[in-house]
Amino acid sequence: MSAASDDDIIIRVRGLTTRFGSQTIHENLDLDVRRGEVIGIVGGSGTGKSVLLKEIIGLMQPTEGKIEVLGQDVTADPEGRDIDLRQRWGVLFQEGALFSSLTLQQNVEVPMRELSDIPESLMEETARVKIAMVGLPPDSAVKFPSELSGGMKKRAGLARALALDPELLFLDEPTAGLDPIAAAKFDELIKHLRESLGLTVVMITHDLDSLYAICDRIAVLVDKRAKVGRLEELLADDHPWIREYFHGPRGRAAAAGKTA
């Protein structure tokens, strides 16, 4: 597999170290994310998957190291980070993280109100377009999160993440809590959006079906670092955790489903 050129790398993590007191979560971790790919991030409990995501989008500061996103160093000056950069990514947090007091449409409008000067009429129209884009019916726009099913909440959160037409999409356990049918439909939606919008997708997941269905590469957090490769490469890896993860009962079931 040929190395990616500098122009192809949309996220570059170098020498990342994360410590909480005496506990080291990441140590000298390197990771590249290539433009246009879907990369899955997996790892055991406590390996710092969500921490890594928060560091990349600037919600947490690493102890050491450098993170570049879209050519900008997000670790250099987190307080002074350009708003334009934040407009270029969208984030779907676990459980959708919707505001319970706002309707679905109002939730989708939040990034537009915070980070842009879009006119009110265009904002409402754009929100409706995003709601339709993720496969939700028009009448869902006036519903509150408590009135939505788990799958609808995920799609609503995705619509909000897409509100500003980002280049980068971050997903934190997007299919967690969904039944297998709803999870498979969500995977198909992500695949379709990546292809139609030209997105780069960084996805934290435990869902082996998602890794088989839509990921171009996978970053496995083991031994405080990231081991990155295509699925077939990781299937051949002899690291004990990687072998247990991909060749255990769930891994065999996911592989069987892929070839069925």
Side-chain angles (χ1 to χ4, degrees):
M1 182 171 58
S2 60
S5 70
D6 285 348
D7 290 342
D8 291 331
I9 298 173
I10 198 168
I11 299 174
R12 189 191 307 272
V13 179
R14 290 292 181 272
L16 185 76
T17 296
T18 308
R19 297 190 185 96
F20 298 106
S22 61
Q23 185 179 15
T24 300
I25 307 298
H26 310 128
E27 188 169 29
N28 201 29
L29 182 152
D30 293 342
L31 175 66
D32 288 339
V33 176
R34 300 168 182 170
R35 187 178 300 275
E37 75 173 341
V38 178
I39 184 167
I41 299 178
V42 304
S45 178
T47 54
K49 300 179 294 296
S50 293
V51 170
L52 176 60
L53 173 59
K54 290 176 181 177
E55 290 171 336
I56 291 173
I57 63 175
L59 293 180
M60 293 181 63
Q61 274 287 95
T63 307
E64 298 173 12
K66 183 176 181 180
I67 302 173
E68 292 182 358
V69 181
L70 296 163
Q72 295 191 39
D73 184 351
V74 299
T75 52
D77 183 17
E79 296 300 323
R81 187 174 303 116
D82 195 336
I83 287 179
D84 288 343
L85 180 60
R86 293 171 58 198
Q87 291 177 320
R88 296 173 69 186
W89 68 53
V91 186
L92 172 59
F93 294 102
Q94 291 187 40
E95 309 301 328
L98 301 172
F99 296 104
S100 60
S101 61
L102 302 181
T103 64
L104 193 164
Q105 179 169 322
Q106 290 169 335
N107 266 283
V108 176
E109 292 173 355
V110 166
M112 292 183 268
R113 294 186 186 280
E114 290 186 347
L115 300 172
S116 75
D117 54 1
I118 298 174
E120 190 75 24
S121 59
L122 181 56
M123 194 181 301
E124 294 174 359
E125 181 181 346
T126 301
R128 294 190 189 101
V129 169
K130 302 303 179 183
I131 289 169
M133 185 182 290
V134 299
L136 291 171
D139 62 358
S140 64
V142 297
K143 293 184 177 180
F144 290 91
S146 60
E147 301 175 283
L148 304 176
S149 68
M152 292 178 73
K153 288 179 183 178
K154 297 276 190 180
R155 289 173 183 258
L158 181 59
R160 186 176 63 188
L162 295 171
L164 294 173
D165 299 322
E167 301 168 51
L168 254 172
L169 184 62
F170 296 98
L171 309 175
D172 192 357
E173 298 286 2
T175 59
L178 299 182
D179 65 73
I181 294 175
K185 288 182 178 178
F186 198 89
D187 284 341
E188 283 300 312
L189 174 61
I190 296 301
K191 183 177 180 180
H192 169 72
L193 291 172
R194 187 274 290 266
E195 294 170 353
S196 61
L197 301 178
L199 294 169
T200 302
V201 181
V202 179
M203 178 175 65
I204 296 173
T205 185
H206 284 101
D207 193 335
L208 280 152
D209 289 328
S210 295
L211 299 179
Y212 274 88
I214 62 173
C215 289
D216 299 297
R217 294 190 304 147
I218 301 164
V220 185
L221 302 190
V222 288
D223 304 326
K224 302 181 176 62
R225 299 189 180 185
K227 181 169 284 195
V228 187
R230 295 186 176 275
L231 180 61
E232 59 268 24
E233 295 170 330
L234 294 171
L235 287 172
D237 197 288
D238 61 1
H239 188 282
W241 191 91
I242 295 175
R243 287 201 63 80
E244 183 177 0
Y245 182 75
F246 286 103
H247 296 279
R250 291 185 177 182
R252 291 195 299 270
K258 179 66 174 178
T259 57

